[in-house]
């Protein structure tokens, strides 16, 4: 018996090390994508581009990527042999519909907020992810983590007040900033937290693979978007001007980048859970601020600087003081 224990430890160590290496690699890629996405979207997606067309194109590209990755892993036949419509709707149906709506709201917000403001407000999704993870999975938070999440909300409120009264944003109309910039991204953050908790439930409880969930969710999300075009203003615009109205070859860059980000989010959620992406978010904020200064020459305002400090402190505290289960002494 004593001889078998070292073998068990030796066999599990490489697996754990490989998982950690993959998690760091995926996190690095997501950090770069997440930080650069607001800038490349603002530059390469013109105002004339119909929001539904860009979101639908992103979902289709995610389906293609997911199929390629499933085939590469050699699990296509096995996954589809085990696939059922009822199981797919239970695990992926609701998150897919939520993410489809969230992506549409994000596309609206992209065009009405500067890149750093967008990224910082987008961080409130961490609070809602923690909230819905507790409700759905009963995953508790430590006192320090709860305090850190409130710091995050304070940063978002501070930034909202600052941007609402600022004249240095992408639009000089405060009402447009509020109703077409701040409110859409805050609603999207709530939806993102709910969808992330549901995806974590499907991955950890229902043992659904990341690639299969991406394939299912993108397919269902695409169908929801197509159904919405029958009555929506975007659907009317597509029928009048065409699906690719306002597109240029460069429009594919942010669309493909966004699709790759969706794949990476699914992988990190399956490896580490929805809330444990805090260090990715902090790094992405710094990447966004750095790129915005380099390419736009725009220094951060006082509101942004204070809010950025709160965000960094919040997520640093959240990662440093995880909830620990107290063992009862026998």
């Amino acid at each position: 018996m004593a001889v078998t224990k070292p073998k068990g430890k030796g066999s599990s160590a490489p697996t754990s090390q490989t998982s950690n290496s993959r998690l760091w690699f995926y996190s690095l890629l997501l950090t770069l994508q997440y930080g650069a996405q607001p800038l490349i979207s603002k530059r390469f997606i013109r105002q004339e581009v119909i929001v539904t067309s860009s979101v639908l194109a992103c979902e289709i590209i995610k389906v293609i990527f997911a199929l390629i990755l499933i085939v590469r892993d050699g699990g296509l036949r096995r996954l589809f042999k085990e696939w059922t419509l009822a199981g797919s709707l239970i695990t992926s149906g609701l998150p897919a519909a939520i993410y489809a709506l969230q992506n549409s709201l994000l596309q609206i917000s992209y065009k009405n907020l500067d890149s750093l403001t967008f990224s910082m407000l987008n961080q409130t999704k961490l609070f809602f992810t923690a909230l819905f993870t507790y409700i759905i999975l009963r995953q508790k938070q430590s006192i320090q983590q709860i305090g850190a999440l409130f710091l995050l909300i304070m940063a978002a409120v501070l930034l909202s007040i600052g941007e609402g009264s600022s004249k240095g944003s992408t639009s000089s109309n405060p009402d447009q900033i509020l109703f077409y910039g701040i409110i859409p991204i805050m609603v999207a953050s709530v939806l993102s937290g709910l969808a992330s908790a549901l995806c974590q439930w499907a991955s950890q409880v229902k043992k659904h693979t990341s690639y299969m969930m991406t394939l299912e969710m993108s397919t269902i999300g695409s169908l929801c978007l197509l159904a919405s075009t029958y009555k929506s203003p975007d659907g009317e615009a597509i029928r009048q001007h065409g699906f690719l109205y306002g597109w240029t070859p460069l429009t594919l860059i942010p669309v493909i980048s966004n699709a790759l980000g969706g794949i990476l989010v699914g992988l990190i959620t399956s490896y580490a859970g929805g809330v444990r992406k805090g260090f990715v978010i902090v790094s992405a904020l710094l990447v966004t601020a750095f790129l915005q200064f380099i390419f736009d020459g725009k220094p951060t305002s006082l509101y942004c600087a204070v809010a950025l400090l709160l965000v960094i402190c919040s997520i640093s505290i959240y990662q440093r003081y995880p909830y620990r289960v107290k063992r009862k002494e026998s």
Side-chain angles (χ1 to χ4, degrees):
M1 295 295 291
V3 178
T4 58
K5 287 184 180 180
K7 287 183 181 180
K9 289 182 180 180
S11 61
S12 63
T15 302
S16 177
Q17 187 175 2
T18 301
S19 298
N20 288 333
S21 299
R22 287 184 179 180
L23 179 60
W24 278 106
F25 177 67
Y26 296 149
S27 299
L28 176 61
L29 292 179
L30 184 59
T31 298
L32 297 176
Q33 183 274 330
Y34 202 90
Q37 188 67 37
L39 282 86
I40 62 176
S41 294
K42 190 178 294 293
R43 279 169 167 75
F44 299 140
I45 297 181
R46 298 165 58 186
Q47 289 286 340
E48 296 82 6
V49 172
I50 303 169
V51 171
T52 300
S53 70
S54 61
V55 175
L56 186 56
C58 177
E59 296 301 321
I60 293 172
I61 292 173
K62 278 197 279 188
V63 169
I64 296 172
F65 284 158
L67 280 172
I68 292 173
L69 292 170
I70 291 173
V71 171
R72 186 203 64 177
D73 291 344
L76 186 63
R77 180 177 298 180
R78 177 179 59 83
L79 287 174
F80 279 100
K81 187 177 181 180
E82 298 172 355
W83 183 86
T84 61
L85 179 60
S88 175
L89 292 176
I90 291 173
T91 56
S92 303
L94 182 57
I98 292 173
Y99 273 131
L101 176 57
Q102 177 211 351
N103 286 334
S104 297
L105 292 171
L106 289 178
Q107 293 297 325
I108 295 172
S109 185
Y110 271 142
K111 300 177 180 180
N112 294 280
L113 292 175
D114 68 81
S115 302
L116 185 57
T117 302
F118 175 88
S119 292
M120 292 175 67
L121 286 176
N122 203 21
Q123 308 324 308
T124 56
K125 67 173 64 175
L126 182 63
F127 172 84
F128 297 109
T129 300
L131 175 63
F132 287 114
T133 301
Y134 172 74
I135 294 173
I136 296 173
L137 294 172
R138 294 300 174 186
Q139 183 174 322
K140 297 181 180 180
Q141 312 294 323
S142 66
I143 298 297
Q144 294 91 335
Q145 286 179 324
I146 294 174
L149 293 173
F150 276 105
L151 280 178
L152 191 65
I153 295 301
M154 287 174 57
V157 172
L158 178 64
L159 189 61
S160 300
I161 296 173
E163 286 300 313
S165 60
S166 174
K167 296 182 180 180
S169 300
T170 56
S171 172
S172 58
N173 187 348
D175 290 338
Q176 183 174 348
I177 296 171
L178 176 63
F179 291 107
Y180 294 97
I182 293 172
I183 291 179
I185 196 171
M186 294 302 295
V187 175
S189 294
V190 176
L191 295 175
S192 175
L194 175 59
S196 181
L198 291 172
C199 289
Q200 187 174 341
W201 170 80
S203 174
Q204 297 179 358
V205 178
K206 293 296 183 178
K207 305 301 181 183
H208 227 48
T209 65
S210 173
Y211 297 145
M212 193 61 183
M213 279 202 66
T214 300
L215 178 61
E216 291 174 344
M217 290 172 57
S218 296
T219 302
I220 296 172
S222 298
L223 294 175
C224 292
L225 285 171
L226 285 173
S228 71
T229 57
Y230 283 103
K231 292 292 183 180
S232 67
D234 279 6
E236 183 65 28
I238 290 174
R239 286 187 288 272
Q240 283 186 358
H241 305 290
F243 184 82
L244 298 178
Y245 177 71
W247 281 58
T248 67
L250 294 177
T251 307
L252 284 172
I253 295 177
V255 172
I256 294 175
S257 172
N258 204 14
L260 289 173
I263 298 285
L264 292 170
V265 166
L267 288 170
I268 293 176
T269 301
S270 64
Y271 272 98
V275 181
R276 287 189 168 184
K277 296 179 297 199
F279 65 96
V280 174
I281 296 173
V282 173
S283 302
L285 281 173
L286 299 177
V287 170
T288 301
F290 178 74
L291 293 177
Q292 185 168 274
F293 176 74
I294 294 297
F295 292 102
D296 295 342
K298 181 179 180 181
T300 57
S301 65
L302 179 59
Y303 284 105
C304 282
V306 175
L308 179 60
L309 181 62
L310 285 175
V311 169
I312 293 176
C313 291
S314 167
I315 302 178
S316 298
I317 293 171
Y318 190 91
Q319 295 296 312
R320 189 172 181 179
Y321 299 100
Y323 178 80
R324 300 184 187 279
V325 179
K326 296 180 180 179
R327 296 182 179 178
K328 295 182 180 179
E329 295 183 2
S330 58

